[in-house]
Amino acid sequence: MLIWVIGTVFKVTPTSQNRRSSIMSVCGAARCRWIQSRGAVRRILQQNRTVCSHRSGSAEGIREKLQVFPGGSIELQKQQESGIAVLTVNNPARMNAFSGSMMLELEQRVCDLETWTEGKAVIVQGAAGTFCSGSDLNAVRAIANPHDGMKMCEFMQNTLTRLLRLPLISAALVEGRALGGGAELTTACDFRLMTSDAVIQFVHKHMGLVPGWGGAARLVRIVGSQNALKLLSGAKKVDPDFGKQMGLVDEVLHCSSGEGNALSHAERWLGQFIKGPAPVIQAVKKVVVSGRELPLDEALRTERSVFGTVWGGPANLEALALKPKHK
């Protein structure tokens, strides 16, 4: 009998009972990890909370090393009236590149947004008229060995995945340049808005790299594998027209970078999608994320569960009291 275990073939004979038991144990462990992974996604989708104080053992070492490289900040402002939060990557001296401490701050800001029950949306922007130029090279050089690089990669992938899965509608407001890791950051948002003179460019190839913060996987889902291959292998500059043509950009704002009014333009554009109570907007985001990330049967179960949180709720009862007519 032949058994496949993660790409390896084992031959099991009637006299090799011990070997068969070992293989079955491996199969069981692999299936257990697969189920746990899907369960983790489902818990994120079904719950509007995260244990923010959690520190995984695998990430502790890289946190300590990232903290050694300070500079810049990640600022978060919540607008209670509109339900829109503004997350600002602030390191203008280095074109808003991420220092080590900024990577840690981003995780904390995302954690804060995960528990914002009154929120509807978040706009991610850069300070001083430019978006983000990726990683601060000082920190990159200090953790250039493969082990630390992989840990940093894992840390940022986790943070940006949590950003994408927020129960808030997210939009990247791209002014100036979004380069390398900055381009990856745009893909961790639901929408991408660009000023008329902005540029998105996946410059990783010029650095002898590929995206490591999850940008390639997300890019394929946004623009398709053919367009993603063109952008990554050609390190092509994406201006607003090209970006809109291939589906990377959702809206071109009628303003230029650094004029100071791009944020208000972005808030007005986003306003069309966040009318209504926060619980309903968050429920909409949750069912969309579940449909994107879970197998159909599980997505359907999640949708029913989320539906149950708003059925008979204040917004539903208020709408029924108005006796709306279908047009």
Side-chain angles (χ1 to χ4, degrees), residues 190-193 243-244 247-252 269:
D190 299 314
F191 300 112
R192 280 148 296 282
L193 316 177
K244 199 163 187 181
L248 180 61
V249 176
D250 296 280
E251 185 69 13
V252 181
W269 184 87

Side-chain angles (χ1 to χ4, degrees), residues 283-294:
V284 168
K285 175 64 183 288
K286 288 177 184 178
V287 296
V288 169
V289 173
S290 69
R292 180 183 66 216
E293 298 197 14
L294 295 175

Side-chain angles (χ1 to χ4, degrees), residues 12-224:
V12 181
T13 65
T15 59
S16 56
Q17 186 64 38
N18 291 338
R19 185 185 302 174
R20 183 186 308 184
S21 299
S22 298
I23 292 170
M24 292 309 174
S25 296
V26 173
C27 290
R31 176 173 174 78
C32 181
R33 286 193 295 271
W34 177 68
I35 292 173
Q36 288 174 343
S37 177
R38 294 193 345 177
V41 173
R42 187 163 56 250
R43 286 193 297 274
I44 291 172
L45 296 170
Q46 291 179 337
Q47 299 177 9
N48 185 22
R49 61 183 178 85
T50 295
V51 181
C52 300
S53 60
H54 175 69
R55 289 282 192 262
S56 63
S58 62
E60 276 307 312
I62 196 62
R63 279 193 177 91
E64 294 174 359
K65 293 186 178 182
L66 292 174
Q67 191 65 58
V68 174
F69 301 97
S73 61
I74 303 294
E75 300 172 1
L76 178 62
Q77 293 182 329
K78 297 176 182 176
Q79 302 171 8
Q80 299 296 339
E81 184 175 345
S82 66
I84 298 176
V86 180
L87 187 72
T88 304
V89 183
N90 183 18
N91 193 8
R94 296 187 177 275
M95 288 184 60
N96 295 329
F98 273 91
S99 66
S101 62
M102 288 171 67
M103 294 181 189
L104 300 177
E105 284 188 31
L106 179 63
E107 181 192 42
Q108 289 301 313
R109 302 297 178 262
V110 170
C111 176
D112 193 352
L113 290 170
E114 284 173 332
T115 58
W116 189 29
T117 56
E118 299 83 9
K120 301 179 184 180
V122 55
I123 295 174
V124 181
Q125 66 170 5
T130 197
F131 190 71
C132 174
S133 60
S135 302
D136 187 334
L137 293 181
N138 289 331
V140 170
R141 292 190 188 99
I143 57 173
N145 66 82
H147 179 267
D148 287 341
M150 289 285 286
K151 290 299 182 183
M152 182 271 288
C153 172
E154 180 183 4
F155 180 83
M156 287 300 290
Q157 280 186 1
N158 179 61
T159 299
L160 294 186
T161 298
R162 288 168 61 187
L163 173 61
L164 185 60
R165 289 175 178 167
L166 283 174
L168 310 173
I169 296 176
S170 58
L173 170 54
V174 183
E175 295 184 81
R177 296 181 180 182
L179 306 177
E184 293 191 66
L185 177 58
T186 70
T187 67
C189 296
D190 299 314
F191 300 112
R192 280 148 296 282
L193 316 177
M194 293 181 75
T195 56
S196 58
D197 57 346
V199 171
I200 298 174
Q201 187 178 11
F202 294 83
V203 297
H204 304 77
K205 188 184 76 168
H206 295 329
M207 299 296 294
L209 297 170
V210 296
W213 295 355
R218 293 188 297 268
L219 184 63
V220 168
R221 285 162 171 76
I222 296 169
V223 302

Side-chain angles (χ1 to χ4, degrees), residues 201-206 229-237:
Q201 187 178 11
F202 294 83
V203 297
H204 304 77
K205 188 184 76 168
H206 295 329
L229 187 59
K230 291 175 183 177
L231 294 183
L232 296 179
S233 64
K236 289 184 174 292
K237 293 182 179 180

